[in-house]
């Protein structure tokens, strides 16, 4: 069982930045990709980025390039989501989730297949 805890959300002004953290615990974390997702009020869940132990991360959409990046500190079992140049439309609950990469190879191709989810952290972009 993989357990995930997000942190780092909060209120930020437009144009500001936040770094979200996803602390993962449990067995065989080497075999899981970690993905970041978000759900805005009244909207569908969106995939943002995902990362495995040995790669630099993959985007779900080109929409996030230039503003969002992902990184992973394996020693700390933590995955980070850097959010830059935030806009009011980025207001959402941000979640991290774990995908078994022994079953699914390209993490950015999946959403519902992620097996374990964190509780989410709220990001509010407002002046």
């Amino acid at each position: 069982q993989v357990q995930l805890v997000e942190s780092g959300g909060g209120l930020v002004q437009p144009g500001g930045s936040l770094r979200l953290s996803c602390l993962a615990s449990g067995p065989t974390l080497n075999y899981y990709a970690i993905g970041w997702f978000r759900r805005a009020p009244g909207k569908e869940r969106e995939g943002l980025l995902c990362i495995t132990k040995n790669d630099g991360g993959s985007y779900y959409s080109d929409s996030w390039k230039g503003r969002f990046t992902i990184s992973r500190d394996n020693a700390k079992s933590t995955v980070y989501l850097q959010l830059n140049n935030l806009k009011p439309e980025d207001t959402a609950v941000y979640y991290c989730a774990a995908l078994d990469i022994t079953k699914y190879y390209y993490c950015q191709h999946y959403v519902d297949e992620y097996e374990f989810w964190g509780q989410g952290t709220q990001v509010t972009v407002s002046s």
Side-chain angles (χ1 to χ4, degrees):
Q1 182 99 7
V2 178
Q3 296 178 324
L4 304 169
V5 179
E6 302 96 334
S7 61
L11 174 64
V12 62
Q13 292 186 341
S17 297
L18 281 175
R19 189 178 77 160
L20 307 183
S21 299
C22 174
L23 175 62
S25 60
T28 61
L29 290 176
N30 290 344
Y31 302 113
Y32 286 89
I34 301 297
W36 279 99
F37 304 83
R38 74 182 188 185
R39 187 189 294 274
K43 294 188 177 182
E44 297 289 321
R45 181 175 53 189
E46 294 181 289
L48 303 177
L49 297 101
C50 60
I51 192 167
T52 64
K53 180 185 179 184
N54 297 316
D55 71 18
S58 302
Y59 287 90
Y60 276 78
S61 168
D62 289 347
S63 301
W64 317 126
K65 291 182 179 179
R67 296 200 300 131
F68 299 170
T69 58
I70 193 170
S71 60
R72 181 169 181 156
D73 186 333
N74 292 324
K76 295 182 178 180
S77 297
T78 301
V79 173
Y80 303 100
L81 179 67
Q82 180 68 41
L83 306 172
N84 296 326
N85 190 22
L86 283 163
K87 306 173 182 180
E89 52 264 41
D90 294 318
T91 295
V93 178
Y94 286 70
Y95 301 88
C96 62
L99 176 74
D100 185 344
I101 59 172
T102 66
K103 300 177 182 178
Y104 307 102
Y105 189 70
Y106 295 107
C107 58
Q108 71 272 29
H109 291 178
Y110 306 103
V111 176
D112 294 337
E113 290 79 2
Y114 279 73
E115 186 175 357
F116 303 103
W117 292 79
Q119 82 289 350
T121 185
Q122 176 70 47
V123 172
T124 302
V125 185
S126 175
S127 55

